[in-house]
C-alpha cells in the first residue's frame, strides 16, 4: 500500500462528521485491519492540530477487520469547537512498528445555523 488516497470532506460545525471506509489494495482486495491502529489529525492552515480521531479515542471504529472496514465519527460536540474554515487532515495506519499514511485531504467547514 504505497499509494494513498485523497479524501475531501464538506461539513458544518453543528453536525456529526460520520463516514464509513473500506481499505483495499491496488487489486481491490480488502486490507486486513487486524492488530492495527488508525489515527487522523485535523489541522488548521497554520499547521496547528485542532482535533484527533483514532481507534484509541473511539472516533475511528474498525467495523470489519477482515474486510478493511472502519468508520470515522467526530460528534457534533467536537465539531462545534472548530471555527468555519479550511482544514488539512491525514489518516495513518500503524501495524506493529510500521506506520503508513493512507490518505490526505481537506475539510471545508461552514458555520452551522441551527444550534
Amino acid at each position: 500500500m504505497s499509494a494513498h488516497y485523497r479524501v475531501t470532506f464538506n461539513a458544518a460545525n453543528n453536525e456529526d462528521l460520520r463516514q464509513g471506509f473500506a481499505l483495499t489494495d491496488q487489486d481491490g482486495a480488502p486490507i486486513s485491519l487486524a492488530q492495527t491502529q488508525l489515527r487522523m489529525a485535523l489541522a488548521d492552515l497554520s499547521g496547528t492540530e485542532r482535533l484527533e480521531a483514532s481507534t484509541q479515542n473511539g472516533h475511528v471504529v474498525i467495523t470489519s477487520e477482515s474486510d478493511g472496514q472502519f468508520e470515522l465519527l467526530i460528534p457534533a460536540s467536537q465539531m462545534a469547537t472548530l471555527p468555519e474554515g479550511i482544514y488539512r487532515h491525514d489518516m495513518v495506519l500503524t501495524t506493529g512498528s510500521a506506520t503508513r499514511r493512507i490518505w490526505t485531504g481537506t475539510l471545508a467547514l461552514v458555520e452551522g445555523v441551527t444550534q
Side-chain angles (χ1 to χ4, degrees):
M1 181 173 50
S2 59
H4 66 269
Y5 300 95
R6 178 90 178 139
V7 177
T8 302
F9 296 109
N10 293 297
N13 63 4
N14 65 342
E15 66 181 343
D16 294 337
L17 177 58
R18 180 181 221 134
Q19 180 67 51
F21 296 91
L23 290 179
T24 61
D25 65 17
Q26 295 160 330
D27 298 321
I31 295 172
S32 174
L33 297 177
Q35 300 179 355
T36 62
Q37 294 182 356
L38 292 159
R39 179 179 177 274
M40 181 181 114
L42 184 70
D44 61 28
L45 293 180
S46 74
T48 302
E49 188 173 314
R50 301 296 301 259
L51 189 139
E52 177 184 312
S54 70
T55 48
Q56 291 179 313
N57 69 14
H59 296 307
V60 177
V61 177
I62 296 173
T63 54
S64 176
E65 286 183 349
S66 60
D67 292 328
Q69 295 177 357
F70 66 95
E71 183 176 62
L72 171 67
L73 173 58
I74 303 172
S77 61
Q78 281 193 287
M79 296 295 289
T81 66
L82 301 172
E84 183 175 29
I86 303 295
Y87 295 86
R88 297 178 305 130
H89 60 83
D90 62 5
M91 176 77 76
V92 295
L93 178 139
T94 302
T95 305
S97 62
T99 298
R100 295 183 177 140
R101 184 169 60 165
I102 57 175
W103 80 50
T104 61
T106 57
L107 165 68
L109 188 68
V110 297
E111 184 75 28
V113 176
T114 304
Q115 302 302 319

